[in-house]
């Protein structure tokens, strides 16, 4: 393979806020020193399970408005969870919001993180 994935970066208005949100959902370490990335008010990281998520400040950030194609989601993250009730509660108390409880009846719930990025949880209700 010619390349190795180093980081997935999400644009947002407040990088450390979004890093902390995903840490509450996934665990891991926010802003761990790593020579590959600068950590400052405009960029934050979350090291989790061998992957790095990056959060980059965008001054003119406009969140997606799922499922409105005029404001497309651009990408989204899917997470499998052991306990949907517990995870649902954690998402809400840390600033996420439920967008759709189960849009197609397959057990997926669609949420938005505090910056408006859609993500899905799959698990038992």
């Amino acid at each position: 393979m010619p390349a190795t994935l180093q980081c997935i970066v999400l644009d947002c208005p407040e990088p450390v806020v979004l890093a902390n949100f995903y840490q509450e959902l996934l665990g891991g370490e926010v802003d761990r020193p790593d020579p590959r990335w600068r950590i400052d008010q405009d960029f934050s990281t979350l090291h989790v399970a061998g992957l790095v998520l990056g959060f980059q400040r965008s001054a003119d950030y406009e969140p997606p408005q799922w499922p409105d194609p005029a404001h497309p989601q651009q990408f989204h993250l899917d997470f499998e969870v052991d306990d949907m009730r517990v995870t649902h509660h954690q998402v809400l108390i840390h600033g996420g919001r439920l967008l759709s409880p189960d849009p197609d009846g397959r057990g997926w719930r669609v949420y938005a993180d505090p910056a408006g990025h859609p993500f899905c949880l799959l698990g038992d209700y």
Side-chain angles (χ1 to χ4, degrees):
M1 291 292 156
T4 301
L5 180 64
Q6 292 291 310
C7 187
I8 297 170
V9 180
L10 287 77
D11 285 352
C12 61
E14 299 178 87
V16 75
V17 169
L18 206 54
N20 287 322
F21 172 83
Y22 280 103
Q23 181 187 41
E24 290 296 331
L25 183 61
L26 302 170
E29 186 177 355
V30 171
D31 292 342
R32 181 171 82 193
D34 187 317
R36 296 175 292 180
W37 298 280
R38 76 175 196 291
I39 305 299
D40 59 25
Q41 65 192 26
D42 293 324
F43 196 85
S44 194
T45 60
L46 175 64
H47 288 74
V48 60
L51 178 67
V52 178
L53 294 176
F55 306 94
Q56 177 175 277
R57 184 180 310 277
S58 173
D60 298 323
Y61 178 74
E62 291 189 35
Q65 296 178 19
W66 185 89
D68 181 358
H71 300 276
Q73 62 181 326
Q74 301 163 14
F75 78 97
H76 71 275
L77 303 170
D78 292 337
F79 303 104
E80 185 172 353
V81 299
D82 292 330
D83 188 324
M84 182 66 81
R85 286 179 184 88
V86 169
T87 306
H88 170 83
H89 179 70
Q90 289 292 86
V91 166
L92 298 181
I93 65 171
H94 292 289
R97 66 186 191 283
L98 181 64
L99 298 177
S100 180
D102 192 357
D104 59 9
R106 294 185 304 138
W108 293 87
R109 288 187 180 179
V110 182
Y111 294 83
D113 68 23
H117 301 107
F119 66 94
C120 297
L121 299 181
L122 172 64
D124 294 330
Y125 290 95

